[in-house]
Amino acid sequence: MTEEQRTTLTRRGALRAATVAAAAGAVGAVGLGAAPASAGGRGGSHGRVPRDNISVQLYTLRDQLSADLPGTLRALADIGYTRVEHAGFVGRTAAQFKAALDAVGLRATSGHVGIPQPFDAAAWQAALADARLLRQRYIVHPFFGVGANGVIRDSATYRAFARDLNKAGALAKKAGLRFGYHNHHFEFFRLDGGTTTGWDILTNETDPDLVHLEVDLFWVTRGAHDPVDVIRENRGRIKQFHVKDMNDGGSFADVGDGLIDFARIFQHGREAGIDEFIVERDDAGTAPRTPAQSIDTARVGYNYLANLRF
């Protein structure tokens, strides 16, 4: 962490993390035996995550996929996944990648594809054509906030990027796709020495009809924000969650093994507009973990979400 991240997380996140960890145990213990209801249920009934709405970001399994694409996809299907979010085609064409998914009964309902910078409509149209070939519902820009000189801290750069997101979203809409933006924690840094953040600009200056939000719950928490506050500020606009857990050192954990109270967050799923719950762990196949352990991460995440009641 940078000193700013450490200070911010300590100031706003540490006490909340302790509360969240205690609440997670209480909610999980009470909810597991409850009768299932629809996702986002509130009040006296318990909600659940529909199994067909559980996905996995294939970046989690990048090394394992490179070593054995068909075997890894088969393992995901055997776990119970029916949908995935790709992060590229593992050295294949879009058609070859779709054939590998089809062979095991998986659907790539979403994919991470960065919009060209500077924006290039022709290049983006080619990416949209691949997404349509895969029969995706969503196409998502995966990363922003760091430039050639490090973390972006000026509002002008964010405003220019917001305009490009709108352009990309308009073309995606014409192609029959929903375009989204995936956050990290850089967006929550203050800009120009003031109080405005990159997140403020991206959410206020993009058209909700053209750009939805794929909220990464880990990175929101690392940015010292409460995901429930983010949901309330963006009602109906959050179509996808990246479900990623945090250990007590502020790094990654398998879903359900860390500090984040997913039950509390998912109670607001209908308010958010959520459609996909996407399991991810950024370091799942990176030393000291082995690539094969990413399959364990995918299994733990699926089972946690399939059995969670809230």
Side-chain angles (χ1 to χ4, degrees):
M1 289 187 186
T2 65
E3 186 59 35
E4 177 175 349
Q5 291 171 265
R6 187 179 297 107
T7 300
T8 305
L9 184 60
T10 300
R11 182 176 66 250
R12 295 189 56 190
L15 290 176
R16 175 170 289 149
T19 303
V20 160
V27 172
V30 172
L32 284 177
S38 61
R42 302 186 66 184
S45 63
H46 291 283
R48 66 178 296 174
V49 177
R51 291 180 182 237
D52 192 49
N53 291 71
I54 301 172
S55 182
V56 60
Q57 168 50 250
L58 295 183
Y59 181 77
T60 303
L61 302 111
R62 55 196 177 276
D63 297 317
Q64 190 73 359
L65 287 163
S66 295
D68 182 5
L69 177 62
T72 304
L73 295 178
R74 167 56 66 188
L76 293 175
D78 289 345
I79 289 169
Y81 287 100
T82 59
R83 60 172 77 184
V84 300
E85 180 179 59
H86 74 75
F89 304 137
V90 199
R92 275 71 167 177
T93 66
Q96 290 168 336
F97 188 74
K98 182 178 184 300
L101 293 170
D102 290 345
V104 296
L106 291 174
R107 298 170 290 153
T109 53
S110 183
H112 273 193
V113 182
I115 65 173
Q117 292 288 279
F119 189 72
D120 182 327
W124 184 239
Q125 291 281 20
L128 296 176
D130 283 343
R132 285 176 56 85
L133 188 152
L134 266 73
R135 300 184 183 274
Q136 289 174 214
R137 181 180 305 166
Y138 302 109
I139 185 168
V140 179
H141 181 88
F143 183 86
F144 188 73
V146 177
N149 298 316
V151 176
I152 296 169
R153 304 301 292 262
D154 67 281
S155 58
T157 301
Y158 269 95
R159 289 196 165 92
F161 184 64
R163 290 192 292 271
D164 285 347
L165 291 177
N166 282 328
K167 293 174 188 175
L171 291 175
K173 185 176 182 180
K174 287 181 181 178
L177 294 158
R178 287 188 164 195
F179 175 63
Y181 177 79
H182 170 269
N183 68 279
H184 286 76
H185 62 314
F186 305 110
E187 296 90 340
F188 298 101
F189 290 1
R190 295 185 297 274
L191 305 177
D192 303 324
T195 59
T196 298
T197 66
W199 183 253
D200 295 332
I201 291 172
L202 294 180
T203 54
N204 291 330
E205 299 191 16
T206 55
D207 184 342
D209 190 49
L210 301 178
V211 184
H212 74 267
L213 303 175
E214 180 180 75
V215 171
D216 188 304
L217 301 174
F218 173 95
W219 288 115
V220 167
T221 305
R222 269 290 296 267
H225 279 61
D226 184 345
V228 172
D229 290 342
V230 170
I231 290 169
R232 287 172 172 161
E233 292 162 2
N234 297 278
R235 286 182 172 88
R237 192 176 182 180
I238 302 169
K239 302 302 178 187
Q240 299 163 287
F241 282 146
H242 266 203
V243 185
K244 182 188 307 179
D245 218 337
M246 177 184 291
N247 66 24
D248 57 7
S251 190
F252 306 106
D254 283 350
V255 174
D257 289 345
L259 299 174
I260 296 178
D261 185 353
F262 295 111
R264 171 178 171 269
I265 297 166
F266 294 170
Q267 286 173 356
H268 300 269
R270 187 175 293 117
E271 184 180 358
I274 194 70
D275 174 55
E276 290 195 321
F277 300 76
I278 305 170
V279 172
E280 187 181 30
R281 178 167 171 166
D282 292 12
D283 68 342
T286 304
R289 293 170 58 86
T290 66
Q293 285 179 294
S294 63
I295 297 290
D296 297 331
T297 289
R299 181 181 298 105
V300 168
Y302 180 88
N303 289 337
Y304 177 84
L305 292 180
N307 290 290
L308 182 65
R309 301 294 180 266
F310 46 91

